[in-house]
Amino acid sequence: MASPIFVSACLLGLPVRWDGKAVSGDYASILTKFVSRGGRIVSLCPECSGGLPTPRPPCEIQAGDGSDVLSGKARVISIKGTDQTLAYLQGAREALALCLQNQVKVAVLKSFSPACGNGKIYDGFFRGTKKDGIGVTASLLSQSGIRVFDEEHTLEAVALALKESSGESCGCGREQTFSIA
């Protein structure tokens, strides 16, 4: 059986994004195949779990990224100027608790989000400009040893979850490729 994967709730078709919408994409079929092969998905929306409503004003991290929020050096601010940092921290803790409870080693999170972004997030000025960085939840999960992927890398995440559970190794030191087609 594959190791469970944590997936952002919006990527599973739940309308929990800031604008009240879900996200769609090719990754959904990959996750469906993963489940059909015995995989298990655990999920929540860190922003909703942190107490934010849906829909809600968009938020961005100002003066850093999620790692800086976790260390108290940056804040998550809504477009209306409201500090939502505590909600993002609470949501990240909820996500981590769910992952630990389910022995999750791999997560697929929504790109560019101030909670879930991995590699790129919005720049904090609400201009639609992206910068290098990581969201609050993505940062906390990564710091806790969970491998974080965005939705564009769902196939790699699933392959890693399958590899983690199989313990298969050819002994050559190279990762094996798993097909879920």
Side-chain angles (χ1 to χ4, degrees):
M1 178 183 283
S3 297
I5 295 177
F6 177 86
V7 179
S8 298
C10 64
L11 297 176
L12 297 175
L14 299 172
V16 293
R17 283 175 28 117
W18 68 272
D19 57 5
K21 297 179 181 176
V23 182
S24 61
D26 293 338
Y27 52 83
S29 64
I30 296 169
L31 293 171
T32 299
K33 289 177 185 176
F34 172 70
V35 170
S36 73
R37 289 190 55 189
R40 192 165 59 89
I41 293 172
V42 296
S43 180
L44 59 72
C45 169
E47 295 174 19
C48 293
S49 292
L52 297 175
T54 302
R56 57 190 164 271
C59 293
E60 294 186 7
I61 299 172
Q62 294 184 347
D65 70 0
S67 299
D68 297 313
V69 172
L70 292 174
S71 68
K73 297 176 188 169
R75 310 297 292 166
V76 184
I77 306 296
S78 79
I79 197 166
K80 294 182 175 183
T82 306
D83 188 333
Q84 299 291 5
T85 304
L86 292 178
Y88 278 79
L89 290 169
Q90 179 61 33
R93 288 189 292 268
E94 295 283 334
L96 178 59
L98 183 63
C99 288
L100 294 175
Q101 176 184 11
N102 288 279
Q103 299 177 341
V104 167
K105 296 180 174 109
V106 177
V108 178
L109 305 179
K110 178 66 185 105
S111 57
F112 313 124
S113 159
C116 297
N118 183 35
K120 293 270 186 197
I121 58 173
Y122 288 100
D123 71 358
F125 296 102
F126 300 97
R127 318 180 275 212
T129 304
K130 296 171 186 128
K131 66 178 182 179
D132 291 340
I134 188 168
V136 179
T137 299
S139 182
L140 185 61
L141 296 184
S142 291
Q143 289 177 18
S144 300
I146 297 168
R147 288 283 309 273
V148 176
F149 296 85
D150 66 22
E151 70 272 24
E152 297 302 319
H153 296 94
T154 301
L155 185 58
E156 293 94 329
V158 166
L160 182 60
L162 291 169
K163 180 180 179 254
E164 290 276 339
S165 64
S166 72
E168 291 182 26
S169 173
C170 63
C172 66
R174 286 180 270 167
E175 290 189 20
Q176 294 214 10
T177 303
F178 292 85
S179 171
I180 62 163

